[in-house]
Amino acid sequence: MSEEVLVSVADGVLEVTINRPEARNAMSKAVAEGISAAMDRLEAENDLRCAILTGAGGTFCSGMDLKGFLAGEMPIVPGRGFGGLTDWTPKKPVIAAVDGFALAGGMELALACDMIVAHTDAKFGIPEAKRGLVAGGGGVVHLPRLLPRQLAMELALTGDPITAQRAYELGLVNRVTDGPAIEAARALARTIAENGPLAVAASKAIIRDSWLWDVAELNAKQGPYIAAVFMSEDAREGATAFAQKRKPEWKGK
């Protein structure tokens, strides 16, 4: 894996760090491939319960590396999109820990994660229009689903950023912290990692996939997602641990 992406593991949480601080962590092809490879590891290793995606040097990601773009490089992984994450999602949760700027593709990358924790001084925006471009990594299609249309329009057409607090008020950010975003993200990740992994994965899948379901089919369509969970060893272990007033020992099966 490229040194432009650093990976570490602690307490069942995979931490993935974009390591191009000299370029404000602008997305290169190598970084996109590194993030994609890290997500493969998240999927493959049963002991990993969730991931945190962050940036080195006080910035999350300033978007596409325009120097690379001018040289003909696109920071996209086939089938996975910008940064290896905007066109798909792993089964396990991914938390974005945002310090500094999450701009253009950087904001789209954060939105591709399942949750966002941000430092109070962080800024979010899709300034592509200021550069004659369009936020094609999901910004102009996902923001209207997450925000009132008028607010999505403002972000896309002005290109102006918003603060972490404003993003929190709009429901784009889960938590705002005065300390490093990674610390608050670790606390959130630890809480998730303590829960049943099958239940977490099924819950994530239903929340994401149900965006496309007809309202009349919601209860029926979730059935296949949860049937295996209720029949699992983990479900029995969870109930037994509760009765015995102890911490459950999850097996992921």
Side-chain angles (χ1 to χ4, degrees):
M1 185 177 293
S2 168
E3 291 185 0
E4 293 186 345
V5 177
L6 305 178
V7 178
S8 62
V9 175
D11 301 321
V13 178
L14 185 72
E15 295 187 7
V16 184
T17 304
I18 303 170
N19 187 38
R20 302 189 72 211
E22 75 288 347
R24 291 191 173 183
N25 295 325
M27 184 62 59
S28 66
K29 180 72 170 177
V31 171
E33 291 172 344
I35 293 173
S36 180
M39 295 303 118
D40 285 339
R41 179 177 175 183
L42 176 67
E43 294 284 75
E45 297 185 17
N46 290 334
D47 290 342
L48 296 177
R49 301 299 172 81
C50 62
I52 296 172
L53 178 62
T54 192
T59 291
F60 180 70
C61 175
S62 59
M64 178 172 63
D65 186 333
L66 294 181
K67 293 181 180 179
F69 170 72
L70 292 173
E73 177 186 280
M74 294 297 290
I76 291 172
V77 175
R80 297 193 173 185
F82 178 87
L85 198 58
T86 60
D87 286 357
W88 81 292
T89 186
K91 293 179 181 178
K92 301 171 186 177
V94 182
I95 302 168
V98 178
D99 296 294
F101 294 104
L103 298 177
M107 182 174 184
E108 293 170 315
L109 190 64
L111 292 176
C113 296
D114 300 296
M115 287 158 282
I116 301 174
V117 174
H119 186 273
T120 187
D121 291 336
K123 298 289 192 300
F124 295 83
I126 47 172
E128 279 86 347
K130 293 180 181 291
R131 301 165 188 160
L133 300 171
V134 177
V140 293
V141 292
H142 290 304
L143 281 174
R145 291 171 174 245
L146 299 170
L147 299 173
R149 185 178 66 178
Q150 290 86 345
L151 294 178
M153 284 285 191
E154 181 179 345
L155 285 171
L157 303 187
T158 67
D160 292 338
I162 58 174
T163 65
Q165 183 61 36
R166 180 60 172 154
Y168 174 78
E169 293 167 355
L170 293 174
L172 296 177
V173 167
N174 295 79
R175 301 180 183 183
V176 177
T177 178
D178 290 329
I182 188 66
E183 295 299 334
R186 285 168 178 161
L188 180 57
R190 284 194 296 269
T191 300
I192 294 168
E194 290 177 353
N195 295 331
L198 297 180
V200 167
S203 297
K204 168 179 171 170
I206 292 169
I207 289 171
R208 279 183 168 262
D209 293 354
S210 62
W211 277 21
L212 304 176
W213 298 349
D214 185 270
V215 173
E217 299 177 321
L218 288 177
N219 287 332
K221 280 188 169 290
Q222 73 172 347
Y225 290 75
I226 65 177
V229 176
F230 278 86
M231 298 296 292
S232 68
E233 291 183 30
D234 276 359
R236 292 191 292 274
E237 168 62 11
T240 300
F242 177 80
Q244 296 177 352
K245 298 181 180 180
R246 61 173 174 81
K247 187 175 181 178
E249 299 178 5
W250 307 118
K251 297 181 179 179
K253 59 182 181 179

